Amino acid sequence: MEKVHYTQEINITPQLMERINVLISHYPEDKRKSALLPVLHEVQDAHENWLSIELQNKVAEIIGIQPIEVYEVVSFYSMYNQKPVGKYMFEFCHTSPCCLNGVENLMDYTCDKLGVKVGEITKDGMFSVKGVECLGACGYAPMLQLGDFYHEHLTPSKMDQLIEDCKAGKITLLAEI
Amino acid sequence: MSRKLLLEHINVPGIETYEVYRKHGGYASVEKAIKKLTPDEVVEEVKTSGLRGRGGAGFPAGMKWSFIDKKSGKPRHLVCNADESEPGTFKDRFLMEKLPHLLIEGMITSSYALGANLSYIYIRGEYMWIFRILERAINEAKAAGWLGKNILGSGYDLELYVHCGAGAYICGEETALIESLEGKRGNPRIKPPFPAISGLWANPTVVNNVETIAAVPWIINNSGAEYATIGLGRSTGTKLISASGNIKNPGVYEIELGLSVDEFMNSDEYLGGMSSNRPLKAFVPGGSSVPVLPANLIFKTANGEDRLMTYESLSDGGFATGSMLGSGGFIVYDDTACIVRNTWNFSRFYHHESCGQCSPCREGTGWMEKVLNRIENGLGREEDIDLLWSVQAKIEGNTICPLGDAAAWPVAAAIRHFREEFEFHIRFPEKVKSRDHFVSEPFDQVKHLLAKATV
Ligand SMILES: Cc1cc2nc3c(=O)[nH]c(=O)nc-3n(C[C@H](O)[C@H](O)[C@H](O)COP(=O)(O)O)c2cc1C
Ligand code: SF4
Ligand code: FES
């Protein structure tokens, strides 16, 4: 299989650096590595929701660990994206309790509407659809995660509305710090 | 039977803020513990209460606390397990969102008992908005003097932080959680040593579930003996139940342990019966890892006794006819649900979430998923059922952490109680072609075909 190397522009703003330093301060001075997971979240949030190899190297440098220590973590956890994703990534929970309340049909509906298959991004880079495992919202199914937030008790018409709201720029993706 | 200890003030407007929480008696347990009790006395109260771990295993909390190594003089830590990823479970999220200060109060009182000066709440990365809620609440508590140096002038210091995961069920296992908190992959450690001796950064550590820690303030305020009078037998106190599936009122409920399953399922105070008035087919009482039970074993045990919401009653009959309270993830299935499909779905989950360290788990979960997938899609063979049985039996008990068992048990239980449904899928492939095969024709209506079919 051909390996594509995705690149991205790296921008560690002073504001981001300040937040990173706050996170690092939550652990003993000789345990900076412990901050890796929270730091990766913040860095990914500031970089269109994915982490290129170059960006991972940068995180290693900031924390003061080997790049391999970052790679092995990024590749283990499902929330870190190693290649570009849609601006609005619909992550539907497709675990059994949600299936009992029709999430599979709703995913089909959404994919048809956006003209993509599960795992794909729309041509304009705006949307992608993913199936993920239980998000801790089983009683409010069907549901999806979008950025830092959950959208619950969904129906086809609520899906239509959500897509419209995304297009109109009305949807907040990140929770305020 | 609707005693509320954890959620007593849940309907008070603004209870998520520090001021309102404090006005309703919040942080009293910290005051009482620090001013009037020694750490060991706090541990004793929790022991007396009979409080059992609410994360799934039900291990007595006070006893776990008493194992922490206080002799070596190493720093000690309390880590709250807020990874909540067991399918069917969403109670910790509810508690943290609505009552963040209850968890923080519990963390302070419990850390004092353990002599921990640096504690963490490990929350799953998907709950990012709750991560922010907790961060803000910790800042409020700190500003009010409940955290930091020399709390209430006692000389006791405590720093508390929130740490987030990034999408890995296995990080709910306590040693994987510790690895993850150290900035590594979530690979469970071989025990012993147990975290109480060597946990976070090789220091003595206690890991407890959110709900366990949130129960501590009430116990300290009202005494362990008082807590022990609530509930039934060795199932003391109250428990949060996350209810989902084909029921009228899904959501999170606080119940007094000892409530009957029948009342919980059918009364309007709780689940209100089935959502579309269809017949009940099966339930999973404690999250995806515990055995599924068929309708005839739900309200009564095999001996004909009422089935109760207690650790003991739900496991009555062992795995032959019982299940487990587990994390309290209560999933209800009506007759349109397909047990094979459900079992395949759970196997996919465990395969996806296996950390891959042990071959029985890594390979076995993959095999189970594959075989279940082909049965569900009408491509199964008669010998597949025995194959599944043998794979699950080879995983159970042969792995580093209990995820292997958790993957094996649902498969075993499904075959034990619903074997005919597997046979139906194999013998009538054309009948299971559509995803919703039992929606139009529930299994009960087509089951008679099996009698005529020969192998
Ligand atoms: C695969 C696996 C996942 C687990 N997930 C969780 C979890 O999400 N939350 C939790 O509190 N305990 C979870 N546990 C149980 C923990 O290992 C540990 O027993 C628990 O946090 C102890 O707290 P408690 O005694 O207060 O229940 C899990 C265990 C395993 C094996
Ligand atoms: S049982 Fe599975 S999840 Fe647990 S350590 Fe082994 S491979 Fe990892
Ligand atoms: S099964 Fe979908 S949120 Fe739990």
Tab-separated table of all heavy atoms in Angstrom, chain A residues 93-98 133-139 141 143, chain B residues 86-90, ligand 3:
chain	number	residue	atom	x	y	z
A	93	CYS	N	-21.951	6.896	17.975
A	93	CYS	CA	-21.720	5.700	18.771
A	93	CYS	C	-22.477	4.560	18.121
A	93	CYS	O	-23.693	4.650	17.948
A	93	CYS	CB	-22.196	5.851	20.211
A	93	CYS	SG	-22.280	4.222	20.994
A	94	HIS	N	-21.763	3.492	17.771
A	94	HIS	CA	-22.441	2.354	17.134
A	94	HIS	C	-22.369	1.083	17.988
A	94	HIS	O	-22.377	-0.017	17.475
A	94	HIS	CB	-21.921	2.120	15.714
A	94	HIS	CG	-20.473	1.695	15.640
A	94	HIS	ND1	-19.865	1.377	14.455
A	94	HIS	CD2	-19.534	1.543	16.579
A	94	HIS	CE1	-18.602	1.029	14.687
A	94	HIS	NE2	-18.379	1.128	15.972
A	95	THR	N	-22.265	1.262	19.294
A	95	THR	CA	-22.282	0.110	20.198
A	95	THR	C	-23.739	-0.285	20.487
A	95	THR	O	-24.646	0.543	20.364
A	95	THR	CB	-21.499	0.434	21.479
A	95	THR	OG1	-20.226	0.977	21.105
A	95	THR	CG2	-21.268	-0.805	22.329
A	96	SER	N	-23.906	-1.534	20.890
A	96	SER	CA	-25.228	-2.157	20.948
A	96	SER	C	-26.378	-1.317	21.544
A	96	SER	O	-27.423	-1.182	20.905
A	96	SER	CB	-25.109	-3.501	21.655
A	96	SER	OG	-26.361	-4.052	21.851
A	97	PRO	N	-26.246	-0.760	22.759
A	97	PRO	CA	-27.398	-0.009	23.288
A	97	PRO	C	-27.860	1.100	22.331
A	97	PRO	O	-29.071	1.349	22.219
A	97	PRO	CB	-26.871	0.569	24.603
A	97	PRO	CG	-25.828	-0.415	25.038
A	97	PRO	CD	-25.169	-0.875	23.766
A	98	CYS	N	-26.936	1.734	21.635
A	98	CYS	CA	-27.338	2.758	20.667
A	98	CYS	C	-27.993	2.131	19.441
A	98	CYS	O	-28.892	2.719	18.841
A	98	CYS	CB	-26.144	3.623	20.260
A	98	CYS	SG	-25.745	4.858	21.513
A	133	GLU	N	-17.002	3.605	19.447
A	133	GLU	CA	-17.578	2.759	20.498
A	133	GLU	C	-18.169	3.617	21.622
A	133	GLU	O	-17.868	4.808	21.734
A	133	GLU	CB	-16.525	1.792	21.044
A	133	GLU	CG	-15.929	0.839	19.990
A	133	GLU	CD	-16.935	-0.122	19.352
A	133	GLU	OE1	-18.078	-0.238	19.863
A	133	GLU	OE2	-16.582	-0.753	18.339
A	134	CYS	N	-18.978	2.965	22.450
A	134	CYS	CA	-19.786	3.596	23.501
A	134	CYS	C	-19.202	4.889	24.067
A	134	CYS	O	-18.094	4.937	24.575
A	134	CYS	CB	-20.008	2.605	24.646
A	134	CYS	SG	-21.033	3.296	25.974
A	135	LEU	N	-19.985	5.942	23.988
A	135	LEU	CA	-19.533	7.257	24.445
A	135	LEU	C	-20.110	7.627	25.811
A	135	LEU	O	-19.934	8.753	26.273
A	135	LEU	CB	-19.922	8.314	23.406
A	135	LEU	CG	-19.129	8.265	22.089
A	135	LEU	CD1	-19.755	9.156	21.031
A	135	LEU	CD2	-17.678	8.666	22.300
A	136	GLY	N	-20.812	6.695	26.454
A	136	GLY	CA	-21.388	7.027	27.758
A	136	GLY	C	-22.617	7.903	27.615
A	136	GLY	O	-22.806	8.875	28.351
A	137	ALA	N	-23.447	7.557	26.643
A	137	ALA	CA	-24.673	8.316	26.409
A	137	ALA	C	-25.786	7.357	26.004
A	137	ALA	O	-26.740	7.745	25.339
A	137	ALA	CB	-24.444	9.347	25.308
A	138	CYS	N	-25.658	6.113	26.434
A	138	CYS	CA	-26.509	5.023	25.951
A	138	CYS	C	-28.000	5.290	26.164
A	138	CYS	O	-28.826	4.814	25.398
A	138	CYS	CB	-26.125	3.725	26.641
A	138	CYS	SG	-24.391	3.657	27.136
A	139	GLY	N	-28.344	6.029	27.202
A	139	GLY	CA	-29.751	6.298	27.483
A	139	GLY	C	-30.302	7.438	26.648
A	139	GLY	O	-31.494	7.748	26.728
A	141	ALA	N	-29.732	7.733	23.218
A	141	ALA	CA	-29.439	7.328	21.847
A	141	ALA	C	-30.605	7.651	20.913
A	141	ALA	O	-31.734	7.780	21.391
A	141	ALA	CB	-29.164	5.827	21.827
A	143	MET	N	-26.974	9.008	19.161
A	143	MET	CA	-26.224	10.225	19.458
A	143	MET	C	-24.903	10.245	18.698
A	143	MET	O	-24.482	9.231	18.148
A	143	MET	CB	-25.980	10.330	20.961
A	143	MET	CG	-25.214	9.204	21.604
A	143	MET	SD	-23.417	9.270	21.431
A	143	MET	CE	-23.008	10.800	22.270
B	86	GLU	N	-17.571	1.477	29.835
B	86	GLU	CA	-18.229	0.171	29.726
B	86	GLU	C	-19.586	0.365	29.037
B	86	GLU	O	-20.430	1.105	29.555
B	86	GLU	CB	-18.432	-0.384	31.148
B	86	GLU	CG	-19.340	-1.583	31.242
B	86	GLU	CD	-18.590	-2.912	31.235
B	86	GLU	OE1	-17.364	-2.918	31.059
B	86	GLU	OE2	-19.262	-3.934	31.397
B	87	PRO	N	-19.795	-0.258	27.866
B	87	PRO	CA	-21.066	-0.052	27.185
B	87	PRO	C	-22.275	-0.261	28.115
B	87	PRO	O	-22.331	-1.239	28.853
B	87	PRO	CB	-21.027	-1.089	26.066
B	87	PRO	CG	-19.579	-1.159	25.720
B	87	PRO	CD	-18.870	-1.047	27.052
B	88	GLY	N	-23.173	0.694	28.084
B	88	GLY	CA	-24.350	0.646	28.941
B	88	GLY	C	-24.216	1.524	30.179
B	88	GLY	O	-25.172	1.681	30.925
B	89	THR	N	-23.042	2.109	30.406
B	89	THR	CA	-22.790	2.852	31.645
B	89	THR	C	-22.598	4.342	31.372
B	89	THR	O	-21.737	4.714	30.576
B	89	THR	CB	-21.519	2.288	32.330
B	89	THR	OG1	-21.573	0.867	32.287
B	89	THR	CG2	-21.423	2.758	33.763
B	90	PHE	N	-23.402	5.166	32.033
B	90	PHE	CA	-23.243	6.620	31.840
B	90	PHE	C	-23.596	7.400	33.095
B	90	PHE	O	-23.982	8.550	33.049
B	90	PHE	CB	-24.074	7.100	30.637
B	90	PHE	CG	-25.499	6.595	30.599
B	90	PHE	CD1	-26.551	7.399	31.023
B	90	PHE	CD2	-25.785	5.329	30.130
B	90	PHE	CE1	-27.870	6.936	30.995
B	90	PHE	CE2	-27.105	4.853	30.097
B	90	PHE	CZ	-28.137	5.664	30.525
C	3	FES	S1	-23.796	2.437	23.580
C	3	FES	FE1	-23.855	4.305	22.538
C	3	FES	S2	-23.311	5.703	24.076
C	3	FES	FE2	-23.189	3.805	25.108
